[in-house]
Amino acid sequence: MLTDQIIQTVVRAALVEDAPWGDVTSSLLIPETASATARLAAREPGTFSGGAVFAAAMTITDPSIVVELAVADGDAFQAGDTLATVSGPARSVLQAERVALNFVQRMSGIATLTASYVAEVAHTKARIVDTRKTTPGLRAFERHAVRSGGGHNHRFSLSDAVMAKDNHLAVLTEQSGLSVTDALLAVRAQLSHTTHLEVEVDRIDQIEPVLAAGIDTIMLDNFTVEQLRDGVALVAGRALVDASGNVNLSTVRAVAETGVDVISVGALTHSVRALDLGLDVVVATP
């Protein structure tokens, strides 16, 4: 959840990082009394995200700045569209410009990429979800952007659900001396009824022992499309099926068509390109 408190905390830190002792350039070149109106302009098409963050960067810098958003998070736009208008003291607008743009460009890039993935699987039941491969400190921003693009969020943090991967299972079975099934049953016995249990496998023969523990979701990691299809048939509705690994825009449709319920895509956040947006001054007055 992208709350006002999170926005304030992250944006304030970014503004301090960018201008720890003020904006030397603007204070020397721009008269203190000057005002400016600028437009947030799209230089390429995309899906918008980060309106509240963009506005916060402006108004935290100077509460007298007025930000009018022309689009909402999740809205599609075309090159040349005006996404927001900013008016206020010119020094303040220029000081906040880069931080505001950095956030909205990255968030809109994530939303745009996510929307492309979602469009590829729209004819299937599969959900596109993100992963924990996010920029440290920016997870709430980046995961909000995924939702703006029509995607969904995986567990937000290590505290939200049990997700046993290969390394967890290797240590668990070695230390306990139990089979994978019995080790997972012991884990299940310690969980509340509200805690989700997901287990990762990387081979077909691992599926049955894991399912025998009554897990909620099974992640088929780095399976080929053919293996995914076989895995879905083997699971046969006994758990949700999450496909992960080697997923990109050229493969995601085929992955979705195997019948999986969830497709985890780390690239939504770890390899995204910031969208080309600009802040153009359209009116400046003394």
Side-chain angles (χ1 to χ4, degrees):
M1 177 68 72
L2 187 58
T3 65
D4 287 341
Q5 181 179 2
I6 291 173
I7 292 173
Q8 290 280 323
T9 299
V10 175
V11 171
R12 286 182 185 278
L15 289 169
V16 170
E17 176 185 63
D18 199 44
W21 304 285
D23 178 359
V24 178
T25 305
S26 293
S27 64
L28 288 174
L29 298 181
I30 307 302
E32 186 175 3
T33 57
S35 296
T37 296
R39 62 187 286 262
L40 177 62
R43 292 172 180 162
E44 60 179 315
T47 299
F48 188 69
S49 185
V53 178
F54 175 84
M58 290 292 171
T59 57
I60 291 172
T61 299
D62 189 333
S64 68
I65 294 177
V66 176
V67 179
E68 297 179 357
L69 296 171
V71 293
D73 286 8
D75 285 353
F77 56 82
Q78 299 300 316
D81 286 354
T82 296
L83 308 178
T85 303
V86 178
S87 300
R91 284 186 180 182
S92 299
V93 171
L94 293 171
Q95 180 173 327
E97 175 184 5
R98 176 43 55 199
V99 169
L101 280 175
N102 283 348
F103 282 130
V104 77
Q105 285 179 302
R106 180 164 181 81
M107 292 178 71
S108 294
I110 291 170
T112 301
L113 181 60
T114 302
S116 296
Y117 275 88
V118 170
E120 286 293 317
V121 306
H123 62 297
T124 73
K125 67 176 181 178
R127 281 188 170 193
I128 298 297
V129 305
D130 52 24
T131 71
R132 286 171 40 248
K133 295 176 182 178
T134 54
T135 308
L138 298 183
R139 182 168 296 174
F141 285 24
E142 293 179 350
R143 291 199 143 175
H144 173 85
V146 168
R147 296 193 299 275
S148 296
H152 297 267
N153 300 142
H154 215 292
R155 59 176 178 162
F156 188 81
S157 71
L158 292 173
S159 302
D160 295 333
V162 176
M163 186 170 176
K165 296 198 168 191
D166 53 356
N167 286 336
H168 295 104
L169 294 179
V171 174
L172 177 64
T173 54
E174 178 68 26
Q175 293 296 311
S176 68
L178 298 173
S179 68
V180 169
T181 302
D182 288 339
L184 289 172
L185 284 170
V187 170
R188 169 65 84 188
Q190 299 176 63
L191 297 179
S192 72
H193 67 283
T194 61
T195 303
H196 196 89
L197 174 57
E198 179 166 356
V199 180
E200 175 191 86
V201 301
D202 52 23
R203 300 192 316 271
I204 287 283
D205 63 286
Q206 296 172 318
I207 292 177
E208 281 295 351
V210 166
L211 289 178
I215 64 166
D216 302 301
T217 299
I218 187 165
M219 175 181 280
L220 308 184
D221 189 47
N222 289 313
F223 278 43
T224 66
V225 169
E226 293 75 17
Q227 289 170 335
L228 284 173
R229 192 173 293 111
D230 292 342
V232 169
L234 187 58
V235 173
R238 289 177 286 171
L240 294 175
V241 179
D242 183 351
S244 176
N246 296 320
V247 178
N248 55 54
L249 276 173
S250 65
T251 64
V252 70
R253 176 182 290 262
V255 170
E257 289 174 347
T258 64
V260 298
D261 301 289
V262 176
I263 304 175
S264 297
V265 186
L268 297 181
T269 54
H270 74 60
S271 300
V272 72
R273 177 183 65 83
L275 216 63
D276 190 5
L277 309 177
L279 192 68
D280 303 322
V281 173
V282 293
V283 177
T285 59

